[in-house]
């Protein structure tokens, strides 16, 4: 064979082989690419394709209602409207009618009070791969007049449909418990957040196929439609009337005491049901985003302080120490404690609230007198390990599990980390921190006979059956976490000691004639940046009633009251009295005394003001402001005398006899009022108002005065008083 021919054949074979290899490589690449597109990217392209030839609009479910235990509506969903864009149809409309995006965006922006630039961005929205969206939501929760403006534009592809908006009929009422939702209707705080899945239901959707040539809905193609599943109703343990009583009292306490904040919780100790919970100041869930407030300020405003914040409890914790010591039989009613005003523990001197000391007391007396020295001794008898074990049993240092978001655990020192000083101070309410909710859950165990029960706001979940025209219960709260922490006899005995606190001790201003109320005061200095803040206190009062078998427990906490009058017995106990009286009347609690006696005991004590020398009109106006009635026996222009004399204390509504004359001259005799238990600032103001002077020695509250109550003296007389830290 010719060499040239052979060489050509070999070359042809090589070329064919190379071409074959090339074809195989190309074929392999194409197969691989096709497999990648079909298997890996297929679902994405399918989604984009579906978006191109279908129009999908989500249909929101109606959010369930939030009701109180008696069926009163606390949060509802009102009927409003939404605007969605079928972008495929809208693009065809703009193309058909030669409408620029800017024109459509301007018209929609004007109707919806939106920025036209933002509307244009939504219309032009694209996927990451550059393909346009098939649908988009333009604006939700608009009122009918705005919806009508959009309809009047008659732009094909712009869909106006029904929507719902969350509405709170009572505005600020129960704000921190209810919480609020965001613009999409999702719960952000409170019950709205805790039970969002139950309330929100499941959204539906509508999918319509489009003509791929004209991008219009196909009238002969059945759209896929999934009906929304409305949310269920959440029925709370809250009683709207009891909540109203607590709201009213908290508002008054905040104002009267110039306080930073006030919290009140009312509970049924036998079930753990929260009947009322209020924090003041609060906010309006209908308008939670207050203009001008920063994100941190808004979060602070929305914060449920009764659940989310902790504090050193002070003397209210003595209830827990007493219960623990009684349960362990390390104390008895006949035990004697000698309080000289201070006790040395280790190298530290621990002072009693009453610096001059309480003297020799029995165990019930140290509870009644809130004696720190006595409780330091009780803590020593109990011991670190036992005290710590009961602190745990009562639920401190751990979440109660209350069904509200953001619960705080508090800080509790373990037994191995306690010094002797810690043991003493923890025994009377310092060093450890608790939340208001945590404390009341523990206090309930004393009230109900020894059982710790989880506090909760959910009573049941229900839905409205339209067919049968009635509310149907789906589930009830059953997560009680019940455990026994005290013997029933121990709890019953301790309750009798707590009744003495109200009838004889520091909680006397919570006393109501004819009712048996037990309670404990606590005035704790606040810890700020690791140190006790000067003049900053939390004043608390815990109460239960009736004492033989309590049906109601209450905790009043006043944060940073006016530092001139901060003792809990003076400011928190009266708030509890007001709330308890309202609750007793509402729940028809039986009383030992007649209604007239009860009403009289609840009237405010009013000191008769100095109105002599004043013109008749001014004097009568002042008496009216004080809530006093009057009788005038002459027709002069000036008040020249009054009976009883200025300084005398009478009940609100009492009738005062006035004597008038033609000149402003009058008798300068006044009656010395009692200023015992007052701060020096308040006593000075009171005595000065009727023309008396005051001089004092000591610190704290007045426990002794040189002139007796009711003594008649001349104006300008000096009253000498002695002050002492007389307890909380």
């Amino acid at each position: 064979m010719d060499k040239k021919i052979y060489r050509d054949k070999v070359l042809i074979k090589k070329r064919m082989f190379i071409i074959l290899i090339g074809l195989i490589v190309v074929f392999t690449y194409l197969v691989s690419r096709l497999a990648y597109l079909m298997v890996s990217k297929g679902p994405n392209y399918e989604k984009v394709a579906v978006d191109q030839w279908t129009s999908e609009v989500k249909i929101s479910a109606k959010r369930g209602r939030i009701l109180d235990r008696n069926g009163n509506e606390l949060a509802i969903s009102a009927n409003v409207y939404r605007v969605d864009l079928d972008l495929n149809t809208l693009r065809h409309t703009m193309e058909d009618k030669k409408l620029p995006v800017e024109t459509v965006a301007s018209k929609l922006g004007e109707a919806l009070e939106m920025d036209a630039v933002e509307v244009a961005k939504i219309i032009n929205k694209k996927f990451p791969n550059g393909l346009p969206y098939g649908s988009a939501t333009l604006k939700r929760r608009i009122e009918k007049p705005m919806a009508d403006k959009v309809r009047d534009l008659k732009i094909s592809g712009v869909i106006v449909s029904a929507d719902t908006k969350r509405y709170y009929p009572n505005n600020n009422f129960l704000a921190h418990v209810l919480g609020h939702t965001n613009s999409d209707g999702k719960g952000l705080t409170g019950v709205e957040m805790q039970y969002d899945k139950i309330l929100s239901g499941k959204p539906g959707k509508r999918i319509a196929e489009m003509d791929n040539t004209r991008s219009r809905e196909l009238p002969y193609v059945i759209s896929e439609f999934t009906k929304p599943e409305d949310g269920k109703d959440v029925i709370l343990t809250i009683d709207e009337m009891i909540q109203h009583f607590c709201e009213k009292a908290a508002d008054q306490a905040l104002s009267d005491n110039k306080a930073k904040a006030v919290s009140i919780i009312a509970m049924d100790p036998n079930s753990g049901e929260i009947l009322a919970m209020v924090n003041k100041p609060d906010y309006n869930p209908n308008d939670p985003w207050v203009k001008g407030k920063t994100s941190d300020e808004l979060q602070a405003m929305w914060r449920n302080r009764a659940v989310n914040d902790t504090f050193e409890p002070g003397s209210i914790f003595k209830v827990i120490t007493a219960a623990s010591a009684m349960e362990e039989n390390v104390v008895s009613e006949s035990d004697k404690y000698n309080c000289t005003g201070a006790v040395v523990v280790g190298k530290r001197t621990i002072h009693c609230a009453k610096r001059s000391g309480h003297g020799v007391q029995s165990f019930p007396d140290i509870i009644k007198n809130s004696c720190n020295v006595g409780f330091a001794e009780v803590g020593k008898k109990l011991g670190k390990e036992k005290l710590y074990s009961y602190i745990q049993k009562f639920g401190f240092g751990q979440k109660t599990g209350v069904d509200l978001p953001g619960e705080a655990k508090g800080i509790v020192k373990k037994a191995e980390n306690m010094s002797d000083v810690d043991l003493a101070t923890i025994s009377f309410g310092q060093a450890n921190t608790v939340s208001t909710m945590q404390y009341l859950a523990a206090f309930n165990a004393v009230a109900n006979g020894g059982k710790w029960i989880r506090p909760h706001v959910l009573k049941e979940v229900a839905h409205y059956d339209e067919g049968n025209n009635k509310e149907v219960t789906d589930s009830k709260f059953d997560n009680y976490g019940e455990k026994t922490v005290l013997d029933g006899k121990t709890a019953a005995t301790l309750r009798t000691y707590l009744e003495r606190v109200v009838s004889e001790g520091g909680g006397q201003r919570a006393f109501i004639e004819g009712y048996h109320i037990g309670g404990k005061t606590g005035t704790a200095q606040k810890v700020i940046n690791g140190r006790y803040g000067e003049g900053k206190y939390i004043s608390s009062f815990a109460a239960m009633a009736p004492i033989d078998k309590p049906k109601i427990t209450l905790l009043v906490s006043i944060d940073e009251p006016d530092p001139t009058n901060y003792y809990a017995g003076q400011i928190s106990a009266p708030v509890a009295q007001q709330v308890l009286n309202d609750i007793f009347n509402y729940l028809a609690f039986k009383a030992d005394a007649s209604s007239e006696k009860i009403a009289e005991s609840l009237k405010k004590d009013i000191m008769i003001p100095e109105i002599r020398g004043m013109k008749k009109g001014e004097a009568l106006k002042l008496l009216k402001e004080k809530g006093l009635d009057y009788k005038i026996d002459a027709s002069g222009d000036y008040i020249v005398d009054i009976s009883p004399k200025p300084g005398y204390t009478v009940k609100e509504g009492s009738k005062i006899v006035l004597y008038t004359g033609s000149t402003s001259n009058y008798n300068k005799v006044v009656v010395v009022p009692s200023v015992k238990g007052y701060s020096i600032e308040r006593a000075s103001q009171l005595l000065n108002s009727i023309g008396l002077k005051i001089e004092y020695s000591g610190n704290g509250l007045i426990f002794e005065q040189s002139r007796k109550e009711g003594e008649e003296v001349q104006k300008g007389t000096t009253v000498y008083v002695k002050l002492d830290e007389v307890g909380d």
Side-chain angles (χ1 to χ4, degrees):
M1 184 183 290
D2 189 278
K3 287 183 178 181
K4 185 175 181 299
I5 295 173
Y6 177 77
R7 191 170 58 249
D8 289 344
K9 285 183 177 181
V10 171
L11 189 60
I12 290 169
K13 285 181 180 180
K14 285 182 177 179
R15 286 174 177 171
M16 290 180 66
F17 180 73
I18 291 170
I19 291 170
L20 180 61
I21 293 298
L23 290 172
I24 290 172
V25 170
V26 171
F27 181 75
T28 302
Y29 170 76
L30 291 173
V31 170
S32 300
R33 180 66 178 167
L34 186 60
Y36 170 73
L37 293 174
M38 292 179 67
V39 178
S40 180
K41 300 293 287 183
N44 290 335
Y45 285 125
E46 182 183 5
K47 182 179 182 301
V48 172
V50 169
D51 284 336
Q52 288 292 297
W53 53 265
T54 63
S55 170
E56 177 179 330
V57 175
K58 283 190 176 181
I59 304 167
S60 296
K62 187 175 183 179
R63 194 171 179 85
R65 299 175 298 167
I66 301 177
L67 311 171
D68 89 327
R69 66 188 302 113
N70 298 313
N72 298 306
E73 291 181 333
L74 302 172
I76 58 176
S77 290
N79 293 323
V80 285
Y81 298 87
R82 61 183 287 168
V83 177
D84 295 286
L85 301 179
D86 177 348
L87 291 171
N88 290 325
T89 301
L90 182 60
R91 280 188 286 269
H92 171 74
T93 300
M94 291 190 295
E95 180 187 335
D96 239 15
K97 297 185 177 180
K98 295 183 173 52
L99 290 172
V101 171
E102 292 75 18
T103 302
V104 174
S106 178
K107 288 182 177 181
L108 289 172
E110 184 179 350
L112 292 169
E113 298 177 6
M114 291 177 67
D115 186 352
V117 175
E118 289 301 314
V119 176
K121 283 181 181 178
I122 294 171
I123 294 173
N124 292 323
K125 202 169 183 182
K126 289 182 171 60
F127 290 103
N129 60 10
L131 293 172
Y133 268 48
S135 62
T137 297
L138 190 56
K139 193 167 185 177
R140 297 192 60 184
R141 296 176 177 83
I142 61 173
E143 300 296 335
K144 189 175 185 300
M146 187 175 284
D148 289 341
K149 285 182 182 179
V150 176
R151 283 198 186 98
D152 291 343
L153 294 174
K154 296 180 180 178
I155 301 175
S156 186
V158 177
I159 303 167
V160 178
S161 57
D163 199 3
T164 59
K165 178 183 179 181
R166 206 57 166 166
Y167 177 62
Y168 304 90
N170 301 317
N171 296 313
N172 295 46
F173 188 84
L174 197 64
H176 291 105
V177 174
L178 295 175
H180 60 275
T181 63
N182 64 11
S183 58
D184 292 323
K186 183 176 177 59
L188 286 185
T189 60
V191 169
E192 294 280 26
M193 178 182 178
Q194 187 75 23
Y195 292 109
D196 185 64
K197 287 185 179 179
I198 293 171
L199 290 163
S200 59
K202 295 179 181 177
K205 62 181 178 181
R206 163 190 173 275
I207 300 177
E209 292 186 22
M210 312 298 294
D211 180 337
N212 61 359
T213 59
R214 301 299 293 165
S215 294
R216 289 174 174 159
E217 287 191 27
L218 296 170
Y220 51 84
V221 176
I222 298 173
S223 298
E224 181 183 331
F225 176 75
T226 306
K227 187 179 179 181
E229 200 175 296
D230 288 345
K232 294 181 178 178
D233 294 340
V234 168
I235 300 169
L236 302 182
T237 59
I238 299 293
D239 187 305
E240 190 177 53
M241 281 304 297
I242 296 177
Q243 179 70 25
H244 169 70
F245 301 148
C246 292
E247 295 258 354
K248 178 182 68 174
D251 270 326
Q252 190 67 46
L254 187 73
S255 172
D256 288 349
N257 297 289
K258 301 171 186 168
K260 179 181 179 182
V262 174
S263 294
I264 302 176
I265 305 177
M267 287 183 68
D268 179 344
N270 304 295
S271 64
E273 291 185 345
I274 298 170
L275 302 174
M277 181 187 292
V278 58
N279 298 284
K280 297 291 182 179
D282 54 19
Y283 72 103
N284 187 346
N286 288 309
D287 184 24
W289 285 273
V290 179
K291 288 182 180 179
K293 285 191 178 288
T294 65
S295 177
D296 287 346
E297 287 172 334
L298 288 174
Q299 292 295 330
M301 183 178 73
W302 301 339
R303 190 175 181 82
N304 186 344
R305 295 179 294 276
V307 174
N308 305 149
D309 290 355
T310 61
F311 62 102
E312 283 192 4
S315 292
I316 58 172
F317 195 80
K318 289 170 182 171
V319 176
I320 308 304
T321 305
S324 307
M326 291 169 68
E327 187 73 1
E328 286 297 309
N329 293 314
V330 298
V331 295
S332 69
E333 192 166 312
S334 60
D335 287 352
K336 298 299 179 185
Y337 302 84
N338 185 22
C339 173
T340 60
V343 63
V344 177
V345 179
K347 294 181 180 180
R348 179 176 164 186
T349 300
I350 293 175
H351 293 280
C352 191
K354 186 176 181 181
R355 295 299 178 99
S356 60
H358 292 101
V360 178
Q361 311 159 91
S362 66
F363 178 67
D365 285 338
I366 69 169
I367 298 173
K368 181 188 76 174
N369 298 327
S370 198
C371 178
N372 289 350
V373 171
F375 270 93
E377 180 62 27
V378 171
K380 186 178 178 181
K381 287 182 177 182
L382 192 55
K384 299 171 187 175
E385 288 75 16
K386 286 293 184 184
L387 179 58
Y388 177 66
S389 71
Y390 276 94
I391 286 171
Q392 284 190 304
K393 281 182 184 179
F394 276 102
F396 298 106
Q398 54 202 290
K399 294 181 179 181
T400 65
V402 64
D403 48 346
L404 289 169
E407 184 181 11
K409 292 197 302 184
I411 299 171
V412 168
K413 278 199 174 185
K414 293 183 178 179
E416 57 266 30
N417 297 329
M418 279 188 207
S419 65
D420 290 342
V421 173
D422 289 332
L423 175 61
T425 57
I426 288 170
S427 297
F428 55 74
Q430 292 180 1
N432 289 342
T433 63
V434 306
S435 72
T436 306
M437 176 55 63
Q438 206 177 46
Y439 179 81
L440 195 53
F443 189 71
N444 283 346
V446 178
N448 66 29
K451 291 181 180 179
W452 186 94
I453 301 173
R454 178 167 290 112
H456 56 280
V457 294
L458 176 68
K459 189 171 181 65
E460 57 191 48
V461 175
H463 71 276
Y464 188 74
D465 185 343
E466 293 183 357
N468 294 312
N469 195 30
K470 66 177 182 178
E471 192 88 1
V472 178
T473 300
D474 296 293
S475 62
K476 294 185 177 183
F477 182 86
D478 58 4
N479 185 22
Y480 293 98
E482 190 174 304
K483 60 182 179 181
T484 300
V485 295
L486 279 181
D487 180 76
K489 290 182 179 178
T490 302
T493 302
L494 180 54
R495 291 199 299 269
T496 65
Y497 299 161
L498 295 176
E499 183 177 13
R500 289 181 58 187
V501 173
V502 174
S503 61
E504 306 170 26
Q508 289 183 66
R509 296 195 67 184
F511 178 79
I512 301 174
E513 183 77 37
Y515 292 102
H516 299 278
I517 302 166
K520 186 69 193 79
T521 56
T523 307
Q525 201 165 5
K526 288 181 70 174
V527 176
I528 300 173
N529 298 323
R531 303 182 68 180
Y532 288 109
E534 184 66 33
K536 296 186 182 297
Y537 298 87
I538 291 184
S539 303
S540 307
F541 184 74
M544 60 177 72
I547 209 66
D548 58 335
K549 197 172 182 181
K551 297 177 183 177
I552 191 86
T553 53
L554 189 72
L555 186 57
V556 176
S557 178
I558 302 178
D559 186 7
E560 293 189 25
D562 184 341
T564 64
N565 187 28
Y566 59 84
Y567 283 102
Q570 299 292 316
I571 64 171
S572 298
V575 178
Q577 183 200 54
Q578 177 186 342
V579 174
L580 287 172
N581 183 61
D582 286 339
I583 292 174
F584 293 163
N585 289 331
Y586 170 59
L587 297 179
F589 281 14
K590 289 184 179 179
D592 296 341
S594 66
S595 58
E596 290 80 8
K597 281 187 177 181
I598 295 169
E600 188 65 21
S601 73
L602 288 167
K603 287 181 179 179
K604 290 181 181 178
D605 287 326
I606 307 292
M607 189 192 77
I608 296 175
E610 177 59 279
I611 57 172
R612 295 171 302 181
M614 295 174 65
K615 284 191 173 182
K616 186 166 60 178
E618 295 174 5
L620 299 184
K621 182 181 178 183
L622 181 57
L623 289 178
K624 188 175 181 181
E625 288 173 357
K626 294 281 186 182
L628 295 173
D629 197 0
Y630 56 86
K631 178 183 177 183
I632 303 180
D633 75 340
S635 56
D637 294 329
Y638 293 89
I639 305 297
V640 296
D641 207 353
I642 183 171
S643 179
K645 292 284 189 292
Y648 193 83
T649 299
V650 296
K651 287 291 183 181
E652 185 179 16
S654 297
K655 185 169 285 188
I656 312 303
V657 178
L658 307 178
Y659 301 91
T660 62
S662 57
T663 70
S664 59
N665 294 325
Y666 62 91
N667 188 344
K668 301 298 191 289
V669 172
V670 296
V671 172
V672 178
S674 172
V675 289
K676 290 180 181 178
Y678 285 26
S679 65
I680 188 61
E681 292 85 357
R682 190 177 171 205
S684 297
Q685 184 181 28
L686 190 68
L687 293 177
N688 292 342
S689 71
I690 57 172
L692 297 178
K693 298 176 182 178
I694 186 170
E695 290 189 13
Y696 71 97
S697 61
N699 295 296
L701 299 182
I702 296 169
F703 75 96
E704 187 178 304
Q705 61 185 72
S706 62
R707 296 285 188 166
K708 292 180 181 179
E709 178 185 4
E711 184 179 347
E712 292 191 357
V713 297
Q714 288 291 319
K715 272 195 170 186
T717 300
T718 299
V719 178
Y720 298 91
V721 298
K722 292 182 181 179
L723 283 67
D724 197 358
E725 303 285 350
V726 295
D728 56 4

